[in-house]
Amino acid sequence: MLTRKTKLVLSKIFSFFSVIRGYNIWVVALAQYLSAIFILAPEKRALDIILDWRLFLIVVASTLTIASGYIINNFYDAKKDLINRPKKAMIDRLVSQETKLKVYFGINFIVALLMFFISWRAMLFFSAYIFLIWFYSHKLKKMFLIGNVTAAVLAVLPFFGILMYYKNFYEVIFAHATFLFLLILIRELIKDLENIEGDLISDYKTIPVVFGEKRAKSIISILTISTIVPIYFLIEIYNVGYMDIYFYLSLIALLFFCMMLWKATTKTEYLKLHFLLKFIIVSGVFCIVLIEPSVLFHGKKLILTHSISIY
């Protein structure tokens, strides 16, 4: 039997895991490594990339920065979340606001320290990234359109950190980034439709609040249709290997998304659309390996050969 104190500690750990959305962070780390292997540094061996300690520190810094971003965002949105996500908000409140701030500053100090060992440019990049996340949570989030665009940019920025590390500015990278940016921007607007009640009370100037649900749906539909542009470039212009299968399936999923969007009227229906977009984004991470699937086989063969040579 667990003691009362142990149960309280476990509850607080679970609460903090909920605050930092730990289930999202591992996806970001995986996406960064797969992007480095298959998109950003295709000329390098996969094993060399995996064993690169500098890249490892950048990935750790990225995930810690995102975690601290969730903490500060949760800190400022505490009242709004009580309306929009009452169950999650009650779990999150098991950790005090003071503790959240202490952990927030502690994480950011660790990030700055890690980047000090990489370079002053890396430290400057992540310092600016941390500041932008704070400024977004504190001010920009409530601003009309700026909040949505900033949220989408902040979600894509960790990949540009790795891009700056490898200094490989291929055009195909920007096509991938544009597609991801549009998906995240659409998801942010869906979240605004989902949370319209809390946004109205908290005086957030979101598109659904300012223009209404119908016009917000029109804007979302236009953005969804515009994903055809980066998809066209990725399929027809650039070589993405077997990942073109993912983009074809994404088009079908986004067409279905548009049809369901105009039928949606309740919070539950908007939540389903939100999860559909999240599924498209997360599945895209795993489908990066389709660009060059043979890398996985050769990597496995190389690791096995390396292990045998050690013994």
Side-chain angles (χ1 to χ4, degrees), residues 148-161:
N148 298 117
V149 173
T150 306
V153 169
L154 289 172
V156 176
L157 268 182
F159 299 96
F160 280 89

Side-chain angles (χ1 to χ4, degrees), residues 195-225:
N195 301 326
I196 191 168
E197 185 180 346
D199 289 340
L200 277 166
I201 295 170
S202 303
D203 196 33
Y204 277 48
K205 303 298 181 185
T206 63
I207 287 175
V209 169
V210 175
F211 289 138
E213 289 189 44
K214 189 175 181 180
R215 193 167 292 184
K217 287 181 180 181
S218 297
I219 293 169
I220 292 170
S221 298
I222 292 168
L223 287 171
T224 305
I225 293 168

